Amino acid sequence: MTQAPLFRRLALLGCGLIGSSIARAARAQGGVAGELVVNARSAKTLARVVELGIADRVEADPAAAVQGADCVILCAPVGTYAALAEAIAPHMADGAILSDVGSTKQSVIRDVGPLVPAGVHFVPAHPLAGTEYSGPDAGFATLFEGRWCLLTPPAGTDDDAVEHIRQLWQRMGSMVSVMEPAHHDRVLAIVSHLPHLIAFTICGTADDLADETRQQVLQFAASGFRDFTRIAASDPEMWRDVFLNNREALLEMLARFTEDAQAMARAVRWGDAAYIEDKIGRGRKIRRSLIEINQA
Ligand code: NAP
Protein backbone atom coordinates (compact mmCIF):
# COMPACT_ATOMS: atom_id res chain seq x y z
CA MET A 1 0.00 0.00 0.00
CA THR A 2 1.49 3.39 -0.96
CA GLN A 3 1.69 5.96 1.83
CA ALA A 4 -0.04 9.33 1.46
CA PRO A 5 2.58 12.03 0.81
CA LEU A 6 3.85 13.75 3.96
CA PHE A 7 3.72 17.13 2.24
CA ARG A 8 1.36 18.51 -0.36
CA ARG A 9 4.04 20.76 -1.84
CA LEU A 10 7.75 20.58 -1.00
CA ALA A 11 10.03 23.45 -2.07
CA LEU A 12 13.82 23.04 -2.23
CA LEU A 13 15.96 26.20 -2.32
CA GLY A 14 19.25 25.01 -3.84
CA CYS A 15 19.58 21.88 -5.94
CA GLY A 16 23.15 20.59 -5.81
CA LEU A 17 24.34 17.30 -4.35
CA ILE A 18 22.01 17.40 -1.33
CA GLY A 19 18.98 19.18 -2.85
CA SER A 20 18.96 17.00 -5.96
CA SER A 21 19.36 13.87 -3.81
CA ILE A 22 16.29 14.91 -1.78
CA ALA A 23 14.42 15.53 -5.06
CA ARG A 24 15.39 12.11 -6.40
CA ALA A 25 14.67 10.30 -3.11
CA ALA A 26 11.30 12.06 -2.83
CA ARG A 27 10.41 10.96 -6.36
CA ALA A 28 11.57 7.41 -5.79
CA GLN A 29 9.74 7.19 -2.47
CA GLY A 30 6.37 8.58 -3.51
CA GLY A 31 5.36 9.09 0.13
CA VAL A 32 7.24 12.37 0.56
CA ALA A 33 5.72 15.12 -1.58
CA GLY A 34 2.66 15.53 -3.79
CA GLU A 35 4.44 18.28 -5.73
CA LEU A 36 8.11 19.22 -5.79
CA VAL A 37 9.24 22.77 -6.60
CA VAL A 38 12.93 23.66 -7.03
CA ASN A 39 14.77 26.99 -6.90
CA ALA A 40 18.50 27.51 -7.46
CA ARG A 41 20.75 30.50 -8.02
CA SER A 42 21.58 30.06 -11.71
CA ALA A 43 19.45 29.59 -14.81
CA LYS A 44 21.89 26.84 -15.81
CA THR A 45 21.08 24.71 -12.77
CA LEU A 46 17.34 25.29 -13.19
CA ALA A 47 17.56 24.21 -16.83
CA ARG A 48 19.51 21.11 -15.82
CA VAL A 49 16.90 20.22 -13.16
CA VAL A 50 14.25 20.39 -15.89
CA GLU A 51 16.35 18.18 -18.20
CA LEU A 52 16.91 15.65 -15.43
CA GLY A 53 13.15 15.62 -14.72
CA ILE A 54 13.67 15.58 -10.94
CA ALA A 55 11.14 18.34 -10.07
CA ASP A 56 7.56 19.10 -11.04
CA ARG A 57 8.36 22.78 -11.43
CA VAL A 58 11.36 25.14 -11.21
CA GLU A 59 11.19 28.76 -10.09
CA ALA A 60 13.93 31.38 -10.56
CA ASP A 61 12.59 33.43 -7.64
CA PRO A 62 12.78 31.84 -4.17
CA ALA A 63 9.69 33.80 -3.06
CA ALA A 64 7.65 32.23 -5.88
CA ALA A 65 9.08 28.78 -5.10
CA VAL A 66 7.81 28.77 -1.50
CA GLN A 67 4.33 30.03 -2.24
CA GLY A 68 1.72 27.49 -1.12
CA ALA A 69 4.41 25.03 0.04
CA ASP A 70 3.75 23.21 3.33
CA CYS A 71 7.46 22.39 3.62
CA VAL A 72 10.48 24.42 2.50
CA ILE A 73 14.04 23.12 2.79
CA LEU A 74 17.10 25.38 2.43
CA CYS A 75 19.67 23.32 0.45
CA ALA A 76 22.17 26.05 -0.48
CA PRO A 77 25.51 26.85 1.26
CA VAL A 78 24.91 28.06 4.85
CA GLY A 79 26.28 31.56 4.13
CA THR A 80 23.26 32.22 1.88
CA TYR A 81 20.61 31.29 4.46
CA ALA A 82 20.00 34.74 5.99
CA ALA A 83 19.35 36.35 2.60
CA LEU A 84 17.20 33.42 1.46
CA ALA A 85 15.16 33.47 4.68
CA GLU A 86 14.63 37.21 4.32
CA ALA A 87 13.46 36.78 0.73
CA ILE A 88 10.97 34.00 1.46
CA ALA A 89 9.65 34.96 4.92
CA PRO A 90 6.75 37.16 3.73
CA HIS A 91 5.67 34.51 1.19
CA MET A 92 5.57 31.40 3.35
CA ALA A 93 2.22 29.75 4.01
CA ASP A 94 0.79 29.82 7.51
CA GLY A 95 1.51 26.51 9.29
CA ALA A 96 4.33 25.58 6.87
CA ILE A 97 7.58 23.99 8.05
CA LEU A 98 10.93 25.62 7.26
CA SER A 99 13.88 23.23 7.45
CA ASP A 100 17.42 23.07 6.09
CA VAL A 101 20.32 20.68 5.48
CA GLY A 102 23.20 22.94 6.52
CA SER A 103 26.38 21.45 7.96
CA THR A 104 26.48 23.98 10.83
CA LYS A 105 23.55 24.42 13.19
CA GLN A 106 24.16 27.28 15.67
CA SER A 107 24.80 29.70 12.78
CA VAL A 108 21.64 28.57 10.98
CA ILE A 109 19.56 29.14 14.11
CA ARG A 110 21.28 32.52 14.61
CA ASP A 111 20.77 33.62 10.96
CA VAL A 112 17.37 32.14 10.13
CA GLY A 113 15.60 31.90 13.51
CA PRO A 114 14.80 35.63 13.91
CA LEU A 115 13.41 35.81 10.35
CA VAL A 116 10.91 32.94 10.67
CA PRO A 117 7.40 34.42 10.50
CA ALA A 118 4.82 33.68 13.21
CA GLY A 119 2.86 30.55 12.28
CA VAL A 120 5.83 28.94 10.46
CA HIS A 121 7.65 26.08 12.24
CA PHE A 122 11.43 26.05 12.05
CA VAL A 123 13.10 22.61 12.25
CA PRO A 124 16.84 22.73 11.43
CA ALA A 125 18.33 19.44 10.20
CA HIS A 126 21.63 18.04 8.93
CA PRO A 127 21.90 14.81 6.95
CA LEU A 128 25.28 13.17 7.65
CA ALA A 129 25.65 12.01 4.08
CA GLY A 130 27.61 13.38 1.17
CA THR A 131 30.27 12.89 -1.44
CA GLU A 132 32.97 15.17 -2.84
CA TYR A 133 30.81 15.93 -5.91
CA SER A 134 28.52 18.92 -6.28
CA GLY A 135 25.77 20.25 -8.52
CA PRO A 136 22.44 18.77 -9.68
CA ASP A 137 24.04 15.86 -11.54
CA ALA A 138 25.87 14.67 -8.44
CA GLY A 139 22.80 13.63 -6.44
CA PHE A 140 21.32 10.16 -6.19
CA ALA A 141 18.17 8.73 -4.60
CA THR A 142 19.94 6.41 -2.16
CA LEU A 143 22.39 8.98 -0.72
CA PHE A 144 20.64 9.12 2.66
CA GLU A 145 19.97 5.39 3.10
CA GLY A 146 21.46 4.03 6.30
CA ARG A 147 22.90 7.46 7.19
CA TRP A 148 22.07 9.60 10.21
CA CYS A 149 20.12 12.83 9.99
CA LEU A 150 20.45 15.10 13.03
CA LEU A 151 17.60 17.46 13.97
CA THR A 152 18.35 20.50 16.16
CA PRO A 153 14.95 22.11 16.86
CA PRO A 154 15.14 25.24 19.04
CA ALA A 155 13.36 24.97 22.42
CA GLY A 156 9.59 25.24 22.07
CA THR A 157 9.42 24.00 18.45
CA ASP A 158 6.07 22.42 17.59
CA ASP A 159 6.30 18.63 18.20
CA ASP A 160 4.19 17.81 15.16
CA ALA A 161 6.53 19.78 12.87
CA VAL A 162 9.57 17.95 14.29
CA GLU A 163 7.74 14.64 13.76
CA HIS A 164 7.05 15.54 10.11
CA ILE A 165 10.74 16.26 9.47
CA ARG A 166 11.70 13.05 11.27
CA GLN A 167 9.28 11.14 9.00
CA LEU A 168 10.66 12.89 5.91
CA TRP A 169 14.19 11.66 6.60
CA GLN A 170 13.06 8.21 7.66
CA ARG A 171 11.10 7.81 4.43
CA MET A 172 14.28 8.67 2.53
CA GLY A 173 16.07 5.87 4.42
CA SER A 174 17.84 7.81 7.20
CA MET A 175 18.12 7.15 10.89
CA VAL A 176 17.11 10.27 12.83
CA SER A 177 18.37 11.69 16.11
CA VAL A 178 17.68 14.97 17.92
CA MET A 179 20.71 16.89 19.16
CA GLU A 180 21.46 20.15 20.91
CA PRO A 181 22.87 22.64 18.30
CA ALA A 182 26.13 23.49 20.16
CA HIS A 183 26.83 19.79 20.69
CA HIS A 184 26.14 19.14 16.98
CA ASP A 185 28.67 21.80 15.97
CA ARG A 186 31.43 20.37 18.22
CA VAL A 187 30.85 16.79 17.08
CA LEU A 188 30.80 17.79 13.40
CA ALA A 189 33.90 19.95 13.86
CA ILE A 190 35.94 16.87 14.74
CA VAL A 191 34.35 14.22 12.49
CA SER A 192 33.84 16.32 9.36
CA HIS A 193 35.04 19.93 9.37
CA LEU A 194 38.58 19.33 10.71
CA PRO A 195 39.26 16.40 8.32
CA HIS A 196 38.25 18.64 5.41
CA LEU A 197 40.48 21.47 6.71
CA ILE A 198 43.40 19.02 6.92
CA ALA A 199 42.71 17.66 3.41
CA PHE A 200 42.55 21.15 1.84
CA THR A 201 45.71 22.15 3.72
CA ILE A 202 47.80 19.10 2.83
CA CYS A 203 46.90 19.45 -0.85
CA GLY A 204 47.93 23.11 -0.69
CA THR A 205 51.20 22.20 1.04
CA ALA A 206 52.03 19.61 -1.62
CA ASP A 207 51.13 22.10 -4.35
CA ASP A 208 53.46 24.71 -2.83
CA LEU A 209 56.48 22.42 -3.18
CA ALA A 210 59.00 23.04 -5.94
CA ASP A 211 58.02 21.99 -9.47
CA GLU A 212 60.15 18.90 -9.53
CA THR A 213 58.80 17.58 -6.24
CA ARG A 214 55.26 18.45 -7.16
CA GLN A 215 55.44 16.34 -10.27
CA GLN A 216 56.66 13.49 -8.16
CA VAL A 217 53.88 14.00 -5.63
CA LEU A 218 51.26 13.72 -8.34
CA GLN A 219 52.98 11.02 -10.35
CA PHE A 220 53.63 8.77 -7.38
CA ALA A 221 50.59 9.72 -5.26
CA ALA A 222 50.16 6.75 -2.96
CA SER A 223 46.82 5.90 -1.44
CA GLY A 224 47.20 8.26 1.55
CA PHE A 225 47.61 11.40 -0.54
CA ARG A 226 45.04 10.19 -3.09
CA ASP A 227 42.45 9.84 -0.30
CA PHE A 228 43.14 13.42 0.82
CA THR A 229 42.70 14.71 -2.75
CA ARG A 230 39.28 13.03 -2.93
CA ILE A 231 38.09 14.92 0.17
CA ALA A 232 39.76 18.12 -1.08
CA ALA A 233 37.74 17.97 -4.32
CA SER A 234 34.65 19.20 -2.41
CA ASP A 235 32.79 22.40 -3.32
CA PRO A 236 34.81 25.54 -2.30
CA GLU A 237 31.80 27.80 -1.57
CA MET A 238 30.07 25.21 0.55
CA TRP A 239 33.17 24.51 2.64
CA ARG A 240 34.17 28.18 2.93
CA ASP A 241 30.75 28.79 4.50
CA VAL A 242 31.06 25.78 6.84
CA PHE A 243 34.45 26.95 8.16
CA LEU A 244 33.28 30.55 8.64
CA ASN A 245 30.06 29.46 10.35
CA ASN A 246 31.54 26.93 12.79
CA ARG A 247 34.56 29.04 13.63
CA GLU A 248 34.85 28.45 17.38
CA ALA A 249 34.32 24.69 17.43
CA LEU A 250 36.59 24.21 14.41
CA LEU A 251 39.41 26.29 15.96
CA GLU A 252 39.03 24.38 19.25
CA MET A 253 39.34 21.01 17.49
CA LEU A 254 42.24 22.27 15.36
CA ALA A 255 44.09 23.36 18.53
CA ARG A 256 43.59 19.92 20.09
CA PHE A 257 44.68 18.21 16.88
CA THR A 258 47.79 20.44 16.66
CA GLU A 259 48.77 19.45 20.22
CA ASP A 260 48.38 15.75 19.39
CA ALA A 261 50.31 16.16 16.12
CA GLN A 262 53.11 17.84 18.09
CA ALA A 263 53.17 14.89 20.49
CA MET A 264 53.48 12.54 17.52
CA ALA A 265 56.27 14.72 16.10
CA ARG A 266 58.13 14.45 19.42
CA ALA A 267 57.75 10.66 19.40
CA VAL A 268 59.12 10.52 15.85
CA ARG A 269 62.03 12.82 16.77
CA TRP A 270 63.00 10.78 19.87
CA GLY A 271 62.32 7.39 18.33
CA ASP A 272 59.44 6.57 20.72
CA ALA A 273 58.29 3.46 18.83
CA ALA A 274 55.75 2.41 21.49
CA TYR A 275 53.94 5.79 21.32
CA ILE A 276 53.83 5.70 17.52
CA GLU A 277 52.57 2.13 17.40
CA ASP A 278 49.91 2.83 20.02
CA LYS A 279 48.53 5.80 18.04
CA ILE A 280 48.46 3.85 14.77
CA GLY A 281 46.75 0.95 16.54
CA ARG A 282 44.06 3.31 17.84
CA GLY A 283 43.38 4.58 14.32
CA ARG A 284 43.00 1.03 13.07
CA LYS A 285 40.56 0.20 15.89
CA ILE A 286 38.42 3.24 15.07
CA ARG A 287 38.26 2.23 11.39
CA ARG A 288 37.19 -1.29 12.34
CA SER A 289 34.46 -0.07 14.66
CA LEU A 290 33.07 2.18 11.89
CA ILE A 291 32.93 -0.83 9.56
CA GLU A 292 31.09 -2.81 12.26
CA ILE A 293 28.37 -0.16 12.62
CA ASN A 294 28.02 0.24 8.81
CA GLN A 295 29.21 3.85 8.80
CA ALA A 296 32.53 3.34 6.96
P1 NAP B 1 26.25 22.08 -4.02
O1 NAP B 1 26.22 20.77 -4.68
O2 NAP B 1 27.40 23.00 -4.28
O3 NAP B 1 24.88 22.86 -4.37
C1 NAP B 1 24.58 24.11 -3.86
C2 NAP B 1 23.26 24.55 -4.45
O4 NAP B 1 22.90 25.78 -3.80
C3 NAP B 1 23.29 24.82 -5.94
O5 NAP B 1 22.09 24.38 -6.53
C4 NAP B 1 23.37 26.36 -6.00
O6 NAP B 1 22.76 26.89 -7.16
C5 NAP B 1 22.52 26.71 -4.82
N1 NAP B 1 22.75 28.07 -4.35
C6 NAP B 1 23.93 28.67 -4.08
N2 NAP B 1 23.69 29.93 -3.68
C7 NAP B 1 22.35 30.10 -3.73
C8 NAP B 1 21.50 31.18 -3.45
N3 NAP B 1 21.99 32.35 -3.03
N4 NAP B 1 20.17 31.00 -3.62
C9 NAP B 1 19.65 29.83 -4.03
N5 NAP B 1 20.42 28.76 -4.29
C10 NAP B 1 21.74 28.91 -4.15
O7 NAP B 1 26.18 21.97 -2.43
P2 NAP B 1 25.65 20.75 -1.53
O8 NAP B 1 26.79 19.82 -1.30
O9 NAP B 1 24.37 20.24 -2.07
O10 NAP B 1 25.42 21.52 -0.15
C11 NAP B 1 24.20 22.16 0.12
C12 NAP B 1 24.02 22.29 1.63
O11 NAP B 1 24.08 20.98 2.21
C13 NAP B 1 25.10 23.12 2.34
O12 NAP B 1 24.50 23.94 3.31
C14 NAP B 1 25.97 22.08 3.02
O13 NAP B 1 26.54 22.58 4.22
C15 NAP B 1 24.98 20.95 3.29
N6 NAP B 1 25.55 19.59 3.32
C16 NAP B 1 26.49 19.20 2.41
C17 NAP B 1 27.00 17.91 2.47
C18 NAP B 1 28.05 17.44 1.49
O14 NAP B 1 28.77 16.47 1.76
N7 NAP B 1 28.20 18.06 0.34
C19 NAP B 1 26.52 17.01 3.42
C20 NAP B 1 25.52 17.42 4.30
C21 NAP B 1 25.04 18.72 4.25
P3 NAP B 1 23.60 27.03 -8.54
O15 NAP B 1 23.91 25.61 -8.95
O16 NAP B 1 22.64 27.69 -9.42
O17 NAP B 1 24.83 27.81 -8.21
Side-chain angles (χ1 to χ4, degrees):
M1 201 181 77
T2 44
Q3 290 165 300
L6 262 181
F7 301 110
R8 210 172 10 79
R9 182 181 295 167
L10 173 65
L12 305 176
L13 306 188
C15 197
L17 170 69
I18 302 295
S20 77
S21 292
I22 296 176
R24 288 174 170 95
R27 286 243 140 157
Q29 221 288 331
V32 170
E35 188 192 5
L36 191 79
V37 184
V38 160
N39 159 260
R41 176 177 46 181
S42 66
K44 186 169 165 243
T45 294
L46 291 178
R48 187 64 188 142
V49 169
V50 172
E51 270 169 21
L52 291 167
I54 54 176
D56 296 304
R57 184 154 59 83
V58 295
E59 290 285 354
D61 177 9
V66 304
Q67 247 152 35
D70 47 352
C71 183
V72 174
I73 307 181
L74 305 175
C75 303
V78 290
T80 67
Y81 283 8
L84 277 174
E86 207 168 357
I88 62 173
H91 307 278
M92 286 198 65
D94 192 40
I97 298 174
L98 175 61
S99 188
D100 79 301
V101 294
S103 307
T104 61
K105 294 274 64 93
Q106 290 180 106
S107 77
V108 170
I109 291 168
R110 175 198 69 203
D111 292 350
V112 177
L115 301 167
V116 179
V120 170
H121 309 293
F122 179 38
V123 186
H126 178 204
L128 305 189
T131 71
E132 67 276 27
Y133 300 108
S134 51
D137 285 278
F140 50 99
T142 55
L143 177 64
F144 309 113
E145 279 179 15
R147 301 284 163 205
W148 284 98
C149 182
L150 302 177
L151 311 186
T152 62
T157 307
D158 180 66
D159 287 341
D160 190 49
V162 176
E163 188 50 34
H164 269 71
I165 295 300
R166 178 191 291 278
Q167 284 274 324
L168 164 74
W169 287 100
Q170 284 176 343
R171 290 190 189 188
M172 294 192 294
S174 290
M175 302 160 308
V176 177
S177 186
V178 172
M179 201 179 253
E180 204 265 315
H183 184 57
H184 167 281
D185 286 358
R186 292 188 82 239
V187 170
L188 267 293
I190 187 68
V191 300
S192 171
H193 307 167
L194 180 62
H196 277 83
L197 183 150
I198 293 170
F200 298 135
T201 307
I202 200 169
C203 287
T205 306
D207 198 41
D208 283 344
L209 293 175
D211 269 359
E212 187 197 334
T213 320
R214 184 166 65 208
Q215 269 178 7
Q216 286 191 345
V217 167
L218 296 181
Q219 192 176 348
F220 303 121
S223 62
F225 187 69
R226 253 205 317 262
D227 288 349
F228 277 121
T229 63
R230 183 187 62 71
I231 299 174
S234 305
D235 185 70
E237 277 183 50
M238 188 214 120
W239 279 100
R240 174 203 64 200
D241 282 5
V242 171
F243 288 0
L244 294 177
N245 285 283
N246 197 18
R247 185 182 284 129
E248 271 149 43
L250 178 58
L251 291 177
E252 180 196 335
M253 296 309 162
L254 180 59
R256 287 183 71 145
F257 170 80
T258 306
E259 260 180 42
D260 290 344
Q262 288 296 344
M264 181 62 112
R266 182 173 297 111
V268 170
R269 181 177 305 283
W270 295 104
D272 187 345
Y275 182 95
I276 297 168
E277 199 180 327
D278 177 61
K279 287 287 174 271
I280 298 173
R282 251 174 105 180
R284 181 183 247 205
K285 250 194 236 156
I286 289 169
R287 174 72 188 169
R288 283 192 182 140
S289 58
L290 276 190
I291 292 170
E292 273 164 27
I293 59 168
N294 287 324
Q295 295 296 312

